[in-house]
Amino acid sequence: MAVEAQEANFFTTKLDFIVNWGRKNSLWPFPYGTACCAIEFMSTETSPYDLSRIGSEYVRFTPRQSDVLAVQGTITYKQAPILKRIYEQLAEPKWVIAMGACATSGGVYDCYCTVPGIDNIIPVDVYIGGCPSRPEAFFDAMFEIQKKVSDESYMAQRKERLKEQWELLQAKTAQAKQELSEYSRAKAQELKEKAECLKNTAIRKAEFWKENP
Amino acid sequence: MATSGDNVKEPIVATPEAAKAFEEAALKALEKFGAVRSEKNPWGLTVVVDRCNLHATVLAMRDELGLDMLMDIVGIDYLGFKDYVGPRFAVEYVFKSVYEPAKRMMVKVLVEEADLKVPTISDLYGIANWQEREVYDQYGVIFEGHPDLRRILNHVEFVGHPLRKDYPAHRRQWLSTNDYLYPALEKRLESKGYRILERPEEINPSEEEYLQGSIKK
C-alpha cells in the first residue's frame, strides 16, 4: 500500500474496484429503531424480502462493527446526544440512512420535543419517505448507498486522509516549536535576570566589605 | 367432557343502577371532607375538594370505597379557557376499582398559579410517584412530600413547563449531553447490598450536575 497515487493507473483503479466491490456487498446495518419504521426494517430482513441478497444480512447491534447507520423513527431532543455519540462511534467508512418521515423531517411531531430531521445532528446520505417506509424503499436506499460506494475511490480517500494527517502533524509540530521557543526565551530572560541580581549582590557585598574592613 | 358450573363466574357488568348507587354512596362518604360534585362532568362522577383535604379524601376512597387503582393524574391549565372563572391550574385524579367496574370516579383539586402546591399521594398509591413527576414536568405543579420530584419526560436542561398554555409550542431546547445516570445507578446498587469497588477514571459523580433541573436539594 506504499504506492503514491498521483494519478489513476491500472493498479489504483483495480484496487478501487476490489475495495468497493467488497464494501458494497457487505454493508452491515446498525438499526437505530425508535418507532414503527424499525418494524418495517425487521420485515426487510425476513425471507420474503431478504436483505441478505445484497450482503446485508448481519444486523450488528454495536456501532463498532457496522457500516450503515439506519435511523428508523422519531428522534427526540432527549435522545439527540445519544444518536450523535453512536454516529461518532461508527468506524469509517460509514453511511447514514434517514428512514421514514420522522427521521427525515420530524414528521407529524411538529412540537417542542422532536428534532425536525436528524440532519440537524449528523450528516445523512440517503433519505426515505413514507410513514412508515415500505421494505422496498429500504432496499432502494441500500441500492443508492451501493451506487455511492462504487463511485468512491479508496486511493483518493487514502491520499486525502494522509494529507490531512500530514497537515495536522505539521501544524502540531509548528505549535510545539513555537511553544518551545517561547519557553526557552522566557527561561533565558529569567536566567539573565537572576545573573544580574547575583552580580548586583556580589558588587554590593564587595563594596560593603571594602567600606567596613 | 362435563364442566362444573360452580367454577364459572358470572361476568361483572357495570349496570347504570350500580353506578348510580356508587355515586350516592361516594358523595355521602366524602361529604365530611367538603367534596362537592362538579356539574361540568355529565358522564361520570367528579368531585372537587380543597387541597388540604386531598390526602384524607384519597385515603377514604381507597380504604372505604374500594377504589384500589389510580389510573392517571392529569394537570389542567385553564389559561384562555372560554367562560372560565377560577384558579388557573387544576390537578385531576382518575380512580377505579379493579374488580367492580361500576366504581369509578375522579377527584379534582384547583390551585392558584401563585401558590402551585398540592400534597402528594405517592404514599398511598405507588404509581402516583411517576405520575406526579410527569405533572410536575409538564405543568410545574409542586407535590409536597414527594420523595424524588424531578423531570421524567423532558431532559434535565429543559427550561419551563411545555404543556402550559403560555409555553410556545415550537420553542425547541437542545440537550448538550446525554443524561448522567451513574450516581443513580450506584445508589440503587448500594441499596440492594452491592458495593462499589472501583469505577472508571472518567466517571466522577457530581451531585449538582445530576440534579440540574430538579427541585430536590
Side-chain angles (χ1 to χ4, degrees):
Chain A
M1 295 292 170
V3 181
E4 280 297 321
Q6 295 297 336
E7 54 192 42
N9 56 33
F10 176 79
F11 180 73
T12 54
T13 49
K14 285 298 145 187
L15 187 64
D16 281 346
F17 175 77
I18 290 168
V19 168
N20 289 344
W21 176 79
R23 278 181 182 172
K24 80 178 186 188
N25 289 312
S26 64
L27 289 169
W28 288 1
F30 174 85
Y32 194 92
T34 51
C36 47
C37 285
I39 310 297
E40 295 296 308
F41 176 75
M42 287 174 209
S43 61
T44 316
E45 286 285 337
T46 53
S47 47
Y49 293 100
D50 201 9
L51 197 59
S52 64
R53 281 183 292 159
I54 58 169
S56 301
E57 72 269 39
Y58 277 134
V59 179
R60 307 314 276 185
F61 291 97
T62 160
R64 299 175 206 284
Q65 295 175 0
S66 47
D67 307 301
V68 179
L69 173 63
V71 182
Q72 304 144 352
T74 326
I75 301 297
T76 56
Y77 281 95
K78 201 169 181 175
Q79 199 148 49
I82 301 167
L83 177 63
K84 182 158 189 180
R85 194 160 179 176
I86 281 184
Y87 175 76
E88 285 164 357
Q89 284 174 347
L90 278 169
E92 292 274 358
K94 52 192 173 189
W95 297 275
V96 178
I97 298 175
M99 185 176 183
C102 293
T104 307
S105 67
V108 293
Y109 304 107
D110 186 13
C111 64
Y112 64 93
C113 57
T114 308
V115 178
I118 60 164
D119 46 8
N120 285 295
I121 317 165
I122 55 175
V124 180
D125 291 291
V126 184
Y127 299 87
I128 323 174
C131 184
S133 312
R134 295 274 310 162
E136 291 91 333
F138 192 80
F139 262 95
D140 198 30
M142 290 304 272
F143 291 148
E144 288 292 327
I145 282 189
Q146 282 190 337
K147 263 186 225 164
K148 199 167 181 173
V149 172
S150 55
D151 286 345
E152 285 174 355
S153 169
Y154 170 73
M155 294 305 277
Q157 282 175 356
R158 181 170 173 274
K159 196 179 163 188
E160 266 175 34
R161 206 164 58 234
L162 285 177
K163 203 175 160 190
E164 255 175 42
Q165 284 176 357
W166 175 243
E167 278 167 6
L168 193 71
L169 201 65
Q170 271 183 330
K172 280 204 166 176
T173 317
Q175 197 191 346
K177 266 185 189 171
Q178 175 104 10
E179 276 172 13
L180 188 65
S181 71
E182 276 171 18
Y183 178 75
S184 59
R185 204 174 296 138
K187 204 77 187 171
Q189 186 70 25
E190 197 185 317
L191 282 174
K192 211 182 270 177
E193 280 168 13
K194 209 171 180 182
E196 192 76 16
C197 187
L198 281 175
K199 198 179 152 190
N200 289 345
T201 322
I203 288 169
R204 253 188 285 127
K205 268 186 185 173
E207 282 172 357
F208 179 79
W209 288 116
K210 208 183 270 177
E211 287 166 10
N212 309 302
Chain B
M1 204 171 83
T3 52
S4 65
D6 300 338
N7 291 339
V8 181
K9 282 182 183 172
E10 280 289 313
I12 306 168
V13 190
T15 56
E17 295 79 37
K20 200 161 189 187
F22 169 72
E23 281 180 10
E24 282 167 9
L27 282 172
K28 199 176 173 190
L30 300 178
E31 206 176 5
K32 59 186 176 225
F33 302 114
V36 188
R37 180 169 187 156
S38 168
E39 297 302 323
K40 285 180 184 170
N41 181 3
W43 303 284
L45 176 62
T46 302
V47 295
V48 181
V49 294
D50 196 66
R51 67 179 173 190
C52 50
N53 291 332
L54 176 72
H55 195 275
T57 311
V58 173
L59 185 65
M61 284 162 68
R62 190 187 72 173
D63 294 342
E64 293 168 23
L65 298 176
L67 296 160
D68 43 10
M69 183 176 176
L70 172 61
M71 295 179 74
D72 208 352
I73 299 179
V74 192
I76 303 167
D77 185 0
Y78 280 113
L79 184 74
F81 198 77
K82 202 180 166 192
D83 301 335
Y84 176 78
V85 183
R88 179 178 162 186
F89 286 97
V91 181
E92 195 152 341
Y93 301 77
V94 186
F95 294 92
K96 69 173 277 193
S97 166
V98 177
Y99 299 108
E100 293 164 84
K103 291 187 177 179
R104 49 172 67 223
M105 67 178 290
M106 288 181 271
V107 177
K108 193 171 179 182
V109 184
L110 296 163
V111 271
E112 291 283 357
E113 191 184 1
D115 191 20
L116 205 51
K117 284 174 184 169
V118 174
T120 181
I121 58 161
S122 57
D123 50 340
L124 303 178
Y125 292 86
I127 188 65
N129 189 324
W130 278 22
Q131 286 174 350
E132 285 176 356
R133 274 174 70 186
E134 186 188 344
V135 175
Y136 160 69
D137 186 3
Q138 306 282 41
Y139 293 93
V141 180
I142 291 168
F143 289 90
E144 288 175 313
H146 192 282
D148 183 22
L149 191 62
R150 59 193 161 91
R151 291 189 182 273
I152 187 169
L153 294 177
N154 292 306
H155 53 74
V156 291
E157 292 172 17
F158 204 92
V159 179
H161 301 285
L163 288 196
R164 287 190 180 188
K165 295 291 179 198
D166 51 0
Y167 185 89
H170 293 87
R171 184 187 287 165
R172 298 175 153 91
Q173 300 187 23
W174 285 99
L175 175 62
S176 60
T177 176
N178 39 357
D179 279 3
Y180 193 66
L181 297 175
Y182 274 103
L185 180 71
E186 285 183 356
K187 219 179 277 176
R188 195 176 166 81
L189 283 174
E190 275 169 355
S191 74
K192 285 183 184 275
Y194 291 91
R195 205 154 50 83
I196 311 293
L197 294 178
E198 57 176 339
R199 52 167 73 94
E201 273 182 17
E202 65 263 24
I203 296 171
N204 185 20
S206 158
E207 192 74 9
E208 285 175 14
E209 270 176 40
Y210 167 59
L211 287 174
Q212 201 176 10
S214 157
I215 64 156
K216 191 182 171 188
K217 286 276 183 291

